[in-house]
């Protein structure tokens, strides 16, 4: 197994294709997978759904092109009633309402609100109950389990749903006979083992520790908090910083934009969006990372920032971002070239990281020299610059230790 394949060997989720009447691919239903490829084992449905969304938008996979399809995502009552899933672009998803959800006036009002924001909803495993009737005006599709109920026995109900203009999805199609039957009855979309079994998606999970995500969420509760405040907080957690950059290039956020700093990424996302993503990260994250590796990386980034400020020629925010991203491959255990494919850093910043190009690249190179004790390289610098680099680096080490202590509280 090659190094890249070995790196992307963690379970992110599974996806089961949904086809149209001509057996052409229409979209994918995303399914939770923990440590078992063949089944979804979980105790908390909110955590499972949140993990699917976080893995989709912030995980690292070589299948991004394949993932850019309409997605069907299961949502629990609690998530529909919250605003946690709202940062997802409405054009990229269908929200599935599961058959065991309690249909209350508050739930109906929440669905109506999200529908007015452009979200499309699907009733999963429709139960023909009167309690579902108030939801139908806000639905785009209805899924019917044709393995549990022979569709010929519910033809009047199928015709009633069709008369309402709802697209019908036949799920759990097991053979050609049932597929042909559903086509004849006027179903629009089809899903089941006869057409395709769920496909496991592997990659690399990138989970910020729950304490950092919760600290960010708490900070965002302050109505007077600024972009600068939040940028500083995010920058102190490397994995969280990567997640913010990754979001801009994720399959469902729809904000692909090359940026030059973490602050710029947060500006594009907006504090409201960031708050909602923080909720999902808090629900799903469980990885605290290696404090020593994180501390070294923070010190490098901080030193790049301090040197940039002293030079007066280099943007300090960009220098910090370059310093942080330059060691992210070690922290996340992902090859740098693969890592940079997942984010939307500008070409200039990517060249600074990969080739030490430009003024920022030179700053990064000088910091790496002192970090790695490459004295023979440092001797080539003017004495005043060597003194400045060393002073900034030791100041950065102290700053990084303080940050880690705060994060570990």
């Amino acid at each position: 197994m090659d190094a890249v394949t070995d790196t992307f060997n963690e379970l992110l989720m599974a996806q089961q294709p949904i086809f149209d009447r001509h057996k052409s691919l229409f979209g994918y239903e995303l399914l939770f997978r923990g440590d078992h490829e063949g089944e979804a084992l979980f105790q908390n449905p909110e955590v499972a759904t949140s993990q699917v969304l976080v893995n989709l938008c912030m995980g690292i996979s070589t299948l991004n092109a394949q993932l850019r399809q309409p997605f069907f995502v299961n949502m629990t009552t609690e998530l529909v009633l919250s605003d946690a899933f709202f940062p997802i672009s409405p054009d990229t998803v269908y929200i599935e309402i599961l058959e065991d959800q309690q249909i209350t006036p508050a739930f109906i009002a929440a669905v109506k609100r999200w529908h007015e924001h452009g979200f499309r909803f699907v009733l999963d495993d429709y139960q023909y109950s009167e309690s579902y009737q108030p939801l139908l005006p806000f639905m785009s599709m209805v899924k019917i389990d044709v393995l549990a109920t022979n569709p010929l026995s519910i033809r009047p109900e199928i015709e009633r749903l069709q008369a309402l203009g709802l697209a019908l999805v036949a799920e759990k199609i097991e053979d050609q006979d049932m597929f042909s039957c559903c086509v004849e009855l006027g179903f629009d979309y089809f899903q089941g083992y006869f057409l395709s079994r769920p496909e496991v998606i592997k990659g690399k999970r990138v989970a910020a520790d729950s304490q950092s995500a919760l600290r960010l969420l708490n900070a965002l509760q302050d109505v007077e908090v600024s972009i600068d405040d939040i940028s500083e907080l995010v920058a102190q957690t490397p994995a969280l910083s990567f997640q913010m950059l990754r979001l801009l290039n994720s399959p469902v956020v729809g904000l692909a934009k090359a940026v030059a700093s973490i602050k710029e990424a947060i500006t594009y996302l907006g504090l409201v969006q960031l708050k909602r993503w923080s909720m999902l990260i808090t629900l799903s994250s469980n990885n605290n990372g290696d404090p020593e590796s994180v501390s070294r990386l923070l010190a490098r980034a901080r030193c790049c920032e301090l040197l940039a400020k002293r030079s007066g020629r280099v943007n300090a925010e960009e220098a910090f971002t370059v310093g942080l991203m330059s060691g992210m491959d070690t922290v996340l255990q992902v090859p740098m070239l693969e890592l940079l494919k997942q984010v939307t850093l500008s070409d200039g910043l990517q060249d600074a990281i990969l080739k030490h190009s430009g003024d920022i690249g030179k700053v990064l190179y000088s910091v790496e020299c002192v970090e790695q004790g490459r004295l023979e390289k440092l001797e080539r610098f003017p004495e005043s610059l060597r003194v400045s680099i060393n002073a900034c680096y030791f100041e950065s080490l102290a700053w990084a230790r303080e940050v880690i202590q705060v994060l570990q509280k």
Side-chain angles (χ1 to χ4, degrees):
M1 182 179 293
D2 60 59
V4 173
T5 302
D6 187 53
T7 297
F8 298 133
N9 202 36
E10 295 178 354
L11 283 175
L12 296 182
M13 69 195 82
Q15 60 181 12
Q16 186 170 21
I18 298 173
F19 299 91
D20 65 16
R21 297 169 62 86
H22 306 290
K23 295 185 180 180
S24 296
L25 178 66
F26 173 72
Y28 291 104
E29 179 178 3
L30 301 181
L31 308 168
F32 173 80
R33 291 293 185 268
D35 297 321
H36 304 275
E37 291 191 14
E39 55 186 336
L41 301 176
F42 57 87
Q43 295 180 332
N44 188 317
E46 281 76 41
V47 172
T49 296
S50 299
Q51 186 67 67
V52 166
L53 293 175
V54 169
N55 285 345
L56 173 68
C57 295
M58 299 179 180
I60 304 173
S61 172
T62 58
L63 298 177
N64 271 1
Q66 181 183 355
L67 286 172
R68 295 183 186 278
Q69 300 282 345
F71 304 106
F72 288 68
V73 181
N74 296 330
M75 283 286 175
T76 63
T77 298
E78 287 75 11
L79 286 176
V80 171
L81 290 174
S82 76
D83 58 0
F85 76 89
F86 189 60
I88 302 168
S89 172
D91 296 334
T92 61
V93 294
Y94 286 86
I95 305 301
E96 291 199 21
I97 297 175
L98 302 178
E99 65 275 10
D100 58 354
Q101 301 304 303
Q102 185 177 4
I103 310 301
T104 64
F107 183 80
I108 294 169
V111 170
K112 180 177 183 292
R113 182 172 70 255
W114 295 127
H115 179 265
E116 289 171 350
H117 279 96
F119 282 93
R120 299 167 293 185
F121 286 88
V122 180
L123 278 181
D124 187 32
D125 195 11
Y126 185 51
Q127 299 296 303
Y128 326 109
S129 167
E130 282 296 320
S131 65
Y132 286 89
Q133 301 311 305
L135 287 176
L136 292 181
F138 314 117
M139 297 298 109
S140 297
M141 297 182 182
V142 171
K143 278 189 170 185
I144 295 176
D145 183 343
V146 297
L147 183 62
T149 304
N150 189 318
L152 293 173
S153 68
I154 55 169
R155 186 191 290 264
E157 186 65 28
I158 290 173
E159 292 175 349
R160 188 178 75 82
L161 293 172
Q162 289 171 329
L164 293 174
L166 293 166
L168 299 185
V169 183
E171 59 179 346
K172 297 186 180 178
I173 292 178
E174 300 286 301
D175 53 44
Q176 177 65 51
D177 289 342
M178 181 56 73
F179 177 77
S180 299
C181 174
C182 291
V183 169
E184 184 178 345
L185 287 171
F187 279 81
D188 302 278
Y189 302 104
F190 309 85
Q191 183 179 20
Y193 285 0
F194 167 69
L195 296 164
S196 178
R197 290 178 175 270
E199 308 163 353
V200 170
I201 296 177
K202 292 188 177 182
K204 179 74 174 180
R205 297 176 186 172
V206 181
D209 65 274
S210 56
Q211 285 182 316
S212 296
L214 185 58
R215 187 175 291 107
L216 174 61
L217 182 59
N218 288 337
L220 287 163
Q221 305 304 317
D222 183 355
V223 296
E224 296 183 357
V225 72
S226 69
I227 290 285
D228 287 337
D229 295 334
I230 295 303
S231 299
E232 182 177 352
L233 187 57
V234 170
Q236 293 174 2
T237 309
L240 196 57
S241 299
F242 175 81
Q243 287 178 319
M244 295 305 104
L245 294 171
R246 177 75 180 94
L247 267 177
L248 291 180
N249 197 38
S250 70
V252 299
V253 174
L255 290 174
K257 172 72 178 179
V259 297
S261 67
I262 294 166
K263 179 180 177 180
E264 191 174 349
I266 291 173
T267 300
Y268 278 113
L269 287 169
L271 294 184
V272 173
Q273 296 279 59
L274 196 58
K275 178 180 178 180
R276 288 159 178 165
W277 278 110
S278 299
M279 294 170 67
L280 287 179
I281 295 169
T282 302
L283 275 172
S284 66
S285 59
N286 55 17
N287 179 18
N288 291 316
D290 173 22
E292 286 301 318
S293 296
V294 171
S295 181
R296 285 194 298 271
L297 185 54
L298 286 174
R300 179 190 298 182
R302 177 65 168 173
C303 191
C304 287
E305 178 185 33
L306 293 177
L307 287 172
K309 288 180 178 179
R310 291 196 180 194
S311 76
R313 301 190 310 273
V314 180
N315 183 288
E317 292 173 359
E318 294 180 10
F320 185 95
T321 301
V322 165
L324 197 66
M325 286 299 297
S326 69
M328 200 70 76
D329 55 333
T330 300
V331 171
L332 300 182
Q333 294 297 296
V334 175
M336 180 58 76
L337 289 176
E338 294 298 325
L339 197 67
L340 291 177
K341 291 178 182 177
Q342 308 290 321
V343 297
T344 54
L345 287 180
S346 65
D347 291 342
L349 296 196
Q350 294 203 31
D351 286 343
I353 293 168
L354 295 174
K355 306 173 185 176
H356 294 134
S357 299
D359 289 338
I360 294 181
K362 293 175 183 177
V363 169
L364 174 62
Y365 177 76
S366 65
V367 174
E368 289 177 344
C369 285
V370 70
E371 176 185 84
Q372 297 162 15
R374 293 155 65 182
L375 300 180
E376 75 284 359
K377 301 293 184 183
L378 292 173
E379 288 296 330
R380 300 176 185 177
F381 299 160
E383 182 179 358
S384 59
L385 180 56
R386 293 201 306 270
V387 171
S388 182
I389 293 172
N390 281 308
C392 288
Y393 188 67
F394 284 110
E395 180 181 340
S396 300
L397 287 175
W399 175 84
R401 283 195 295 269
E402 290 176 3
V403 169
I404 293 298
Q405 289 173 1
V406 170
L407 293 177
Q408 290 179 332
K409 288 181 180 179

